[in-house]
Amino acid sequence: MWRLKIADGGKDPYIYSVNNFVGRQIWEFDPDAGTPEERAEVEKARRHFYQDRFQVKPSADLLWRFQLLREKKFKQRIPEVKIIEGEEITYEKATSAVRRAAHFYSALQANDGHWPAENAGPLFFVPPLVMALYITGHLNSVFTSEHRKEILRYIYNHQNQDGGWGLHIEGHSIMFCTVLNYICMRILGEGPDGGLDNACERARKWILDHGGVTHIPSWGKTWLSILGVFEWTGSNPMPPEFWILPSFLPIHPAKMWCYCRIVYMPMSYLYGRRFVGPITPLILELRKELYTQPYNEIKWKQVRHLCAKVSTHIMHIIYITSIMTIMMMILQEDMYYPHPWIQDVMWDTLYICIEPLLTRWPFNKIIRDGALQVTMKHIHYEDENSRYITIGCVEKVLCMLACWVEDPNGDYFKKHLARIPDYIWVAEDGIKMQSFGSQHWDTSFTIQAMLAANLPEEIGETLARGHDFLKKSQVRENPSGDFKSMYRHISKGSWTFSDQDHGWQVSDCTAEGLKCCLLFSMMSPEIVGKKMEPEKLYDSVNVLLSLQSKNGALPAWEPAGAPKWLELFNPTEFMENIFIEHEYVECTSTTIQALILFKKLYPRHRRNEIENSINNAARYLEDMQIPDGSWYGNWGVCFTYGAWFALGALEAVGKTYNNSATIRKAVDFLLTRQRDNGGWGESYLSCTKKEYVPLERNRSNLVHTAWAMMALIHAGQAERDPTPLHRAAKLIINSQTKDGDFPQQEIVGAFKMNCMLHYASYRNIFPLWALAEYRKRVPLPYQA
């Protein structure tokens, strides 16, 4: 059986940690573990997921839940609560529902204080890892037969009915992910017509029916060129000389969004080396299987701008030197963000004029070799400062491969291998690759939900362990050396999305961590442990203030100062707003709440700066409200998520329904979208279309319901008319399972407009939190 191990560094000599691996969560397979009953329970969960996979696509993340509930011998002892038609919710019944949810989720806390959970969903995460291990010859040493079986299970479970795979588990089929997952199946041993339910044959038919692999987007072209199933001449140039450009130029690495920067850093190194993996018999077979014409007859120069075609529409009318040019753009399945014409001009100039020059003597020796060395210097710096976790899973695999290409037997590559388990997650739908883990993020929300439940006598140990985890997870130092020359920002005092070893500061993670530690500081240390030292709280505030933009808003990772027009050069077709850092409603909102609480407890520390920061941030939120009363949520689905954050912050600064038109518009937006059963349900398509799209068939989602419910509580709905809140609470209470859990429903996490993330913990955190706030802030009758 698979077993989850917590805060375990193992015995690998190439792994190290700055906090004794607190927050680390890795899986190992033990063939002798588990009773027949326990194994049968797992197999039943797998069968159920497969049978229901087209109805509920995210996993319920059951394997680790089975394990922890068994280890803690959890049994729900609080009677089940149901609200019948016409019945009024009493304080006692609300309390019982809150206690049941809190006790259940407390049992799922790991021994280091965090709550493990899946954080995955995109279907382009796993295949590049498999491809990289295949290229380097380490596939069999890293992935056992059990790993392979579970990776294939995941691929089969998330294949769409048309034979393809989407960008994420709920998405329509696209060329990028269909090709990557097809290749992954073949590398893992499936034949061209093999796989469960003819998975390979159906996938290959989808690929060929949509024009073949020449129509894969740019990231796919890069990976296939590395693998040897594509030619580098069919890709747009990614010259490593970009990393030695002078900083005064308008396009410079320091101006890029950190994720984009660290993706294209190793990509440009591999491109500059024109690296191609071993041409094995399997690679030669793939060259035959994936194209609509013989491989050696493809005109590679003509495929650089191709993507999977659907239909043709007139997309742009552009005036150039007073001549109207009608551009016929292809509306494409993979193409969410079409390249502007100026970007294609840049690519063509690099391809035709610049790259041929840089690859010839003497420029290949004078410039190219030096640029490759500088690029690797940056890669090594990022690796070392993240303990070889790197910033995320896409970057992890590319940086690892670049280290192998530089030195196949070097320590850099071995350190990367040691951190692969940090990304692997196992659930009933198989093995997937985590985005990079959401340990801190999930834990900080869980703690606030538990604190809102106001049950310190019952869950005091849970709170104390969570507090300890937060204190041990705060980043204690800035990046090493001259970090500004490596395009890095301060991180001392911040919290990451995952654990301290990751090292990358995030504004909203820092604000949520700060809020939790401030709330704990107001409680008895006998219950929750010693409070955090003021100096460390000051460090957190310093990070938040340093990130704030002139318009009052907060970005996520680094200061947002680059001009917006640089997004014209976003090279990634399937995501938007990834070239530079942007500000976000969520980051701004949670920072407001954290700074207001900090100012209350430490009124003399940087008082004027903090007050100005709060005021400017609040104005930004009001300015960012959409005319229909909503806010676009960038990291969750979508307008419901944005409304919860924004209204929480506006309430904190003193805005009310009576004194703020912003609040009134937001309330109207939410109330007009409540469903017949009292809940809310928003489709992930809201993110991509940038307009509110309800779930089909009048469905509600419990997480959306919880967000909307808390947003309305922030807006004072309880004082005006609590009926919508009662209806929502009834839905959540009646949806609670016998053990205190809540059912898994649609995906609710998002990033960069077009890609979704499955936060498996949200179904527990937010219904609990909403019911706790409802019980605390909405007047309820007592049982007679």
Side-chain angles (χ1 to χ4, degrees):
M1 284 183 64
W2 288 95
R3 299 189 63 81
L4 183 65
K5 301 177 72 174
I6 300 297
D8 190 322
K11 298 179 181 179
D12 195 313
Y14 291 99
I15 193 170
Y16 59 99
S17 172
V18 295
N19 70 341
N20 200 28
F21 300 103
V22 170
R24 192 176 194 230
Q25 45 187 28
I26 60 173
W27 289 87
E28 69 172 17
F29 184 79
D30 182 353
D32 299 321
T35 65
E37 292 77 16
E38 290 167 356
R39 295 185 181 203
E41 182 181 40
V42 171
E43 289 304 319
K44 180 180 178 182
R46 288 169 172 162
R47 287 195 305 272
H48 181 267
F49 182 89
Y50 181 76
Q51 293 164 0
D52 204 34
R53 68 192 185 280
F54 296 125
Q55 281 68 51
V56 181
K57 298 188 177 183
S59 81
D61 209 11
L62 292 177
L63 269 60
W64 76 272
R65 292 169 180 246
F66 290 160
Q67 176 186 329
L68 264 69
L69 292 174
R70 282 196 306 268
E71 290 174 354
K72 297 188 179 182
K73 299 179 180 179
F74 173 78
K75 184 176 180 180
Q76 183 61 263
R77 301 187 184 280
I78 303 165
E80 191 172 2
V81 179
K82 296 296 178 186
I83 310 298
I84 64 174
E85 190 66 32
E87 181 185 1
E88 196 172 27
I89 301 175
T90 64
Y91 182 83
E92 288 81 4
K93 286 203 169 185
T95 299
S96 293
V98 168
R99 291 180 63 223
R100 284 165 45 77
H103 281 254
F104 174 80
Y105 207 47
S106 291
L108 293 174
Q109 187 183 34
N111 55 20
D112 69 351
H114 88 277
W115 276 264
E118 174 182 336
N119 183 250
L123 293 173
F124 58 93
F125 284 179
V126 174
L129 175 60
V130 172
M131 291 161 64
L133 292 173
Y134 177 78
I135 290 167
T136 61
H138 286 76
L139 183 63
N140 293 334
S141 61
V142 173
F143 286 153
T144 66
S145 60
E146 292 296 330
H147 283 90
R148 292 170 178 236
K149 182 168 72 174
E150 293 306 317
I151 292 172
L152 286 170
R153 187 192 307 276
Y154 185 70
I155 292 173
Y156 301 148
N157 275 327
H158 296 290
Q159 186 174 26
N160 288 333
Q161 290 172 296
D162 64 3
W165 284 265
L167 187 63
H168 52 86
I169 56 176
E170 292 194 8
H172 68 272
S173 297
I174 64 171
M175 183 67 73
F176 179 46
C177 290
T178 302
V179 171
L180 290 187
N181 282 280
Y182 177 84
I183 291 174
C184 187
M185 289 190 294
R186 297 286 281 115
I187 289 174
L188 293 176
E190 296 290 10
D193 298 323
L196 185 65
D197 295 332
N198 299 316
C200 289
E201 181 184 9
R202 291 165 56 222
R204 189 172 63 257
K205 182 179 185 304
W206 191 98
I207 292 166
L208 297 177
D209 286 349
H210 290 77
V213 169
T214 53
H215 292 78
I216 199 169
S218 59
W219 281 18
K221 287 177 168 65
T222 297
W223 266 113
L224 268 58
S225 297
I226 292 168
L227 186 62
V229 186
F230 206 87
E231 295 297 317
W232 281 114
T233 51
S235 296
N236 285 320
M238 294 174 284
E241 287 74 16
F242 181 68
W243 306 100
I244 60 173
L245 290 175
S247 59
F248 63 79
L249 291 177
I251 300 181
H252 185 268
K255 297 180 173 68
M256 294 176 72
W257 180 45
C258 53
Y259 278 86
C260 188
R261 184 169 70 237
I262 303 175
V263 164
Y264 284 96
M265 194 182 288
M267 275 189 180
S268 66
Y269 177 81
L270 296 165
Y271 174 83
R273 292 280 300 261
R274 296 298 195 279
F275 170 77
V276 178
I279 305 302
T280 65
L282 175 60
I283 299 304
L284 295 177
E285 290 176 21
L286 289 170
R287 288 181 176 183
K288 294 178 182 178
E289 294 166 11
L290 295 172
Y291 293 91
T292 57
Q293 64 186 111
Y295 187 83
N296 59 3
E297 294 180 11
I298 297 170
K299 294 179 173 56
W300 296 103
K301 293 181 180 180
Q302 298 177 11
V303 307
R304 288 184 299 117
H305 300 308
L306 292 184
C307 266
K309 301 176 182 178
V310 179
S311 58
T312 303
H313 293 277
I314 298 175
M315 296 290 287
H316 298 295
I317 298 178
I318 300 177
Y319 291 82
I320 305 176
T321 61
S322 74
I323 299 174
M324 185 175 73
T325 303
I326 300 179
M327 296 186 63
M328 301 295 292
M329 299 293 291
I330 302 299
L331 187 64
Q332 298 159 332
E333 290 179 336
D334 291 56
M335 185 72 84
Y336 179 71
Y337 179 77
H339 289 174
W341 65 269
I342 192 172
Q343 186 181 147
D344 287 337
V345 168
M346 179 192 73
W347 293 129
D348 291 344
T349 302
L350 287 170
Y351 189 89
I352 296 168
C353 304
I354 307 300
E355 190 60 22
L357 193 65
L358 292 171
T359 53
R360 285 176 170 80
W361 188 89
F363 300 106
N364 60 342
K365 296 296 182 184
I366 298 172
I367 301 176
R368 175 57 53 96
D369 288 353
L372 288 169
Q373 291 176 19
V374 170
T375 305
M376 276 310 303
K377 178 183 176 182
H378 281 278
I379 292 170
H380 291 321
Y381 182 86
E382 294 297 339
D383 288 345
E384 287 288 336
N385 278 277
S386 65
R387 275 53 65 181
Y388 288 81
I389 298 172
T390 72
I391 195 171
C393 65
V394 174
E395 298 79 2
K396 163 72 178 177
V397 178
L398 287 163
C399 289
M400 180 177 74
L401 183 58
C403 288
W404 183 83
V405 171
E406 182 193 38
D407 182 0
N409 299 310
D411 286 354
Y412 295 129
F413 177 64
K414 293 173 183 176
K415 291 176 181 178
H416 264 296
L417 288 176
R419 281 294 191 172
I420 288 176
D422 293 65
Y423 281 96
I424 301 302
W425 193 260
V426 190
E428 67 271 21
D429 61 339
I431 278 182
K432 66 285 307 268
M433 196 173 184
Q434 300 268 60
S435 64
F436 54 100
S438 54
Q439 296 95 304
H440 164 72
W441 183 248
D442 291 341
T443 298
S444 64
F445 278 151
T446 301
I447 285 170
Q448 291 177 77
M450 295 282 187
L451 290 174
N454 194 26
L455 303 168
E457 297 82 6
E458 299 180 36
I459 58 171
E461 291 183 6
T462 300
L463 296 173
R465 283 193 297 267
H467 190 195
D468 185 62
F469 171 77
L470 288 178
K471 290 185 289 186
K472 290 178 178 176
S473 298
Q474 188 186 31
V475 177
R476 301 296 171 82
E477 300 294 340
N478 290 322
S480 62
D482 182 12
F483 58 86
K484 290 184 179 180
S485 70
M486 306 305 284
Y487 322 132
R488 291 293 295 270
H489 188 64
I490 63 170
S491 58
K492 183 181 179 181
S494 69
W495 275 272
T496 73
F497 190 64
S498 53
D499 57 21
Q500 189 186 156
D501 280 341
H502 182 264
W504 268 91
Q505 72 285 343
V506 192
S507 64
D508 52 0
C509 297
T510 300
E512 298 295 349
L514 177 59
K515 277 197 288 181
C516 289
C517 289
L518 291 169
L519 291 170
F520 278 131
S521 74
M522 301 163 66
M523 299 177 68
S524 169
E526 294 180 359
I527 297 176
V528 300
K530 184 180 178 181
K531 69 179 182 181
M532 180 174 273
E533 298 89 336
E535 291 75 17
K536 292 177 181 176
L537 301 174
Y538 299 163
D539 289 338
S540 300
V541 170
N542 185 54
V543 170
L544 295 175
L545 294 177
S546 74
L547 287 169
Q548 190 169 30
S549 301
K550 292 180 180 179
N551 64 359
L554 270 290
W557 287 270
E558 297 174 315
K564 297 293 189 289
W565 60 262
L566 285 175
E567 283 294 350
L568 290 170
F569 297 97
N570 168 18
T572 307
E573 299 90 341
F574 54 83
M575 285 186 284
E576 190 175 353
N577 286 349
I578 74 156
F579 196 77
I580 63 172
E581 179 67 285
H582 293 265
E583 297 97 354
Y584 303 101
V585 165
E586 301 98 305
C587 299
T588 306
S589 299
T590 193
T591 297
I592 288 174
Q593 295 174 63
L595 291 180
I596 285 175
L597 183 56
F598 177 83
K599 185 166 74 81
K600 175 183 175 182
L601 298 178
Y602 297 90
R604 296 184 179 180
H605 184 76
R606 301 177 71 172
R607 182 182 183 90
N608 291 337
E609 290 178 75
I610 290 173
E611 287 182 350
N612 288 335
S613 171
I614 293 168
N615 292 335
N616 292 336
R619 279 195 295 272
Y620 168 82
L621 290 183
E622 291 181 310
D623 291 343
M624 288 301 293
Q625 189 178 36
I626 299 169
D628 67 1
S630 66
W631 287 267
Y632 185 89
N634 289 272
W635 308 109
V637 178
C638 169
F639 297 97
T640 317
Y641 188 66
W644 171 55
F645 274 96
L647 288 173
L650 291 174
E651 180 196 30
V653 299
K655 300 294 183 181
T656 69
Y657 188 87
N658 293 328
N659 68 21
S660 171
T662 302
I663 300 287
R664 292 192 291 274
K665 288 169 62 179
V667 167
D668 182 64
F669 170 82
L670 290 169
L671 291 180
T672 55
R673 284 156 180 81
Q674 190 171 23
R675 315 310 289 266
D676 294 341
N677 64 359
W680 280 261
E682 186 176 359
S683 168
Y684 79 86
L685 293 172
S686 292
C687 302
T688 61
K689 295 183 177 182
K690 301 175 190 172
E691 60 184 37
Y692 188 90
V693 179
L695 289 173
E696 296 176 347
R697 299 187 300 278
N698 203 34
R699 296 199 314 275
S700 292
N701 181 290
L702 296 178
V703 176
H704 293 141
T705 301
W707 288 339
M709 191 174 165
M710 289 191 287
L712 287 171
I713 290 172
H714 288 310
Q717 187 65 34
E719 290 78 43
R720 291 186 304 279
D721 176 14
T723 303
L725 302 174
H726 294 320
R727 294 175 61 219
K730 177 183 175 182
L731 175 66
I732 294 177
I733 291 171
N734 286 345
S735 299
Q736 195 173 33
T737 63
K738 290 183 179 180
D739 59 3
D741 196 0
F742 292 93
Q744 180 60 56
Q745 297 174 300
E746 297 83 5
I747 202 164
V748 293
F751 67 95
K752 293 304 171 185
M753 279 73 173
N754 195 38
C755 202
M756 306 301 129
L757 269 177
H758 174 37
Y759 290 83
S761 62
Y762 277 16
R763 79 169 192 266
N764 295 102
I765 297 169
F766 291 108
L768 164 60
W769 197 347
L771 287 178
E773 294 290 348
Y774 171 77
R775 168 178 171 259
K776 181 170 64 174
R777 299 183 59 175
V778 180
L780 297 173
Y782 285 86
Q783 204 164 321

